[in-house]
Amino acid sequence: MYHPRLKGSYYEAGKHYATLLYQKGIRFPQITTEQLTYGMQCLPILKKFDPNVIQEIKGFAEGFQTNVENVSAFLLSLGVFEMTGQCSIFAAYNGKEVIVGRNYDMRYEFRKTTEAAFVDIDRRYPYIGHSDCFIGKVDGINTHGLFVGISAVPHEGIQKGINFYFAVKYILENCRTVAEGIEVLRKFPSSVGNNYLLADSSGEMAVVEVAPHHFLVNRPNGPYIHCTNHHARTPASPKWNWSKSKERHVSLDQRLQEDAQNMTIDIAKSIMSETKGHVCLNLKKHQFGTLYSVVANLNTLEIHRAEGSPQRAKYQVDTRLGKSYN
């Protein structure tokens, strides 16, 4: 797992990270004609949604000695033509503090490309964000104690739009509260289906269902909320449930009913390390499982991360965000 520190302008942050990767011998992936065509169709939508990220892509392309078209097409096509991460996420309010837990499940071949970045772009909120691609994030926590994390959900066909990587990144950089994050997603032109779990240090939390033709905000009925890889009000199909989405959802619900009101970082770790209910996933047949696990306190900005399956890898404290906040 890489641990970059990205600061300065969007262009400077993109170029710095790409240069580091290039110096390590990493080369930009080959882009198919299908990806390039699709990406160029979606690029105007991305420019309208977030003009700043285009500058980051330009810097990244220069640092990686490739072109903007290749980088844009690669990023915009992620999750559209192939399988994306299968994840388990929760937030719980114990009456004083909000604790979140998040396991990111993906093909084992992606282990070496995961990252935990500290990002401090000029005039934007600093944050710790995780990802398995070069630009964009799958989850993160910013200095205002706002958490957002995604899980993939089935969607029909190929739709022009923008994927979750850009939505999560934008929310972390620009939003302070769950309410602000929801408003971003309400207008977000999504190309794929996702659950977005948002939680902030005030105790507000929600799971927002987003797809090309679908938007729904789910609020908690009690002191916790959680999601896996299906929309809560739409049963997962047997085909989609290869990643044990239903079982993980039930397992999380059972543990959270018992532990939410007394939630601590240690209890969160035990929940995310659970293998019996598949929350900590290991599907050897598919060479697929938990690549990293994060638990955090949104009030203190205390972040613990297991880089690998939490059944084997120890959780380590990431202090970079707290130092930025203080």
Side-chain angles (χ1 to χ4, degrees):
M1 178 174 266
Y2 296 105
H3 303 86
R5 293 174 178 264
L6 306 177
K7 297 184 178 183
S9 68
Y10 281 94
Y11 178 86
E12 291 168 341
K15 184 175 180 179
H16 174 68
Y17 190 28
T19 301
L20 289 176
L21 294 174
Y22 194 85
Q23 290 173 346
K24 289 178 177 292
I26 298 171
R27 297 297 178 262
F28 199 77
Q30 290 292 322
I31 305 300
T32 67
T33 301
E34 185 180 35
Q35 286 177 303
L36 186 60
T37 300
Y38 176 81
M40 292 305 95
Q41 291 174 341
C42 298
L43 187 56
I45 305 173
L46 178 59
K47 288 180 179 179
K48 183 177 179 180
F49 173 71
D50 186 6
N52 291 312
V53 79
I54 304 301
Q55 296 305 311
E56 189 170 352
I57 290 172
K58 288 179 179 178
F60 191 89
E62 182 174 333
F64 233 127
Q65 301 186 25
T66 184
N67 59 59
V68 171
E69 290 77 16
N70 281 346
V71 176
S72 300
F74 172 78
L75 295 172
L76 286 163
S77 63
L78 290 171
V80 176
F81 299 109
E82 60 183 13
M83 174 176 57
T84 55
Q86 308 291 294
C87 310
S88 301
I89 318 174
F90 81 84
Y93 180 57
N94 62 18
K96 296 181 179 179
E97 299 170 320
V98 179
I99 308 294
V100 296
R102 192 276 206 280
N103 282 359
Y104 185 69
D105 308 324
M106 190 54 170
R107 295 196 299 268
Y108 291 138
E109 65 188 90
F110 282 82
R111 281 172 174 155
K112 294 182 179 180
T113 62
T114 55
E115 65 180 49
F118 170 72
V119 184
D120 188 4
I121 301 294
D122 294 342
R123 297 181 296 278
R124 294 294 181 267
Y125 301 139
Y127 65 92
I128 295 289
H130 301 95
S131 188
D132 57 4
C133 76
F134 306 119
I135 295 174
K137 298 292 176 278
V138 295
D139 63 67
I141 302 162
N142 70 18
T143 50
H144 294 288
L146 175 65
F147 168 85
V148 56
I150 63 94
S151 63
V153 172
H155 63 279
E156 296 293 331
I158 295 175
Q159 306 282 341
K160 287 190 291 185
I162 316 170
N163 60 35
F164 52 87
Y165 289 102
F166 296 103
V168 172
K169 172 182 168 63
Y170 186 91
I171 289 169
L172 290 169
E173 292 174 352
N174 295 280
C175 299
R176 298 167 61 106
T177 65
V178 168
E180 291 177 0
I182 290 173
E183 288 310 304
V184 170
L185 294 174
R186 192 182 305 277
K187 302 172 184 177
F188 183 65
S190 185
S191 59
V192 293
N194 294 104
N195 288 316
Y196 291 78
L197 193 150
L198 297 110
D200 64 36
S201 58
S202 74
E204 287 295 311
M205 56 187 78
V207 169
V208 185
E209 301 178 6
V210 178
H213 305 292
H214 177 72
F215 177 86
L216 181 67
V217 179
N218 295 293
R219 299 285 187 175
N221 294 320
Y224 69 88
I225 199 165
H226 62 298
C227 64
T228 53
N229 297 101
H230 57 280
H231 287 153
R233 302 186 193 183
T234 306
S237 69
K239 181 179 179 181
W240 183 253
N241 201 45
W242 65 271
S243 67
K244 312 290 185 183
S245 182
K246 294 178 182 177
E247 292 88 338
R248 288 183 281 118
H249 196 272
V250 170
S251 181
L252 281 175
D253 193 54
Q254 290 173 342
R255 284 297 306 271
L256 291 166
Q257 284 185 37
E258 298 172 1
D259 296 322
Q261 292 182 323
N262 300 305
M263 185 61 64
T264 63
I265 288 284
D266 286 339
I267 292 174
K269 289 178 182 178
S270 73
I271 292 173
M272 305 320 286
S273 301
E274 175 61 55
T275 57
K276 187 176 180 181
H278 303 288
V279 173
C280 180
L281 198 61
N282 181 17
L283 301 176
K284 293 181 180 179
K285 176 182 177 181
H286 299 281
Q287 285 296 291
F288 197 102
T290 300
L291 300 191
Y292 69 81
S293 179
V294 176
V295 299
N297 183 318
L298 301 187
N299 297 82
T300 64
L301 302 183
E302 182 181 353
I303 301 171
H304 296 237
R305 182 175 53 251
E307 299 180 2
S309 167
Q311 269 287 304
R312 301 195 242 349
K314 290 185 178 181
Y315 284 91
Q316 304 290 335
V317 179
D318 189 332
T319 61
R320 293 175 294 174
L321 188 63
K323 289 179 180 178
S324 167
Y325 182 75
N326 295 327

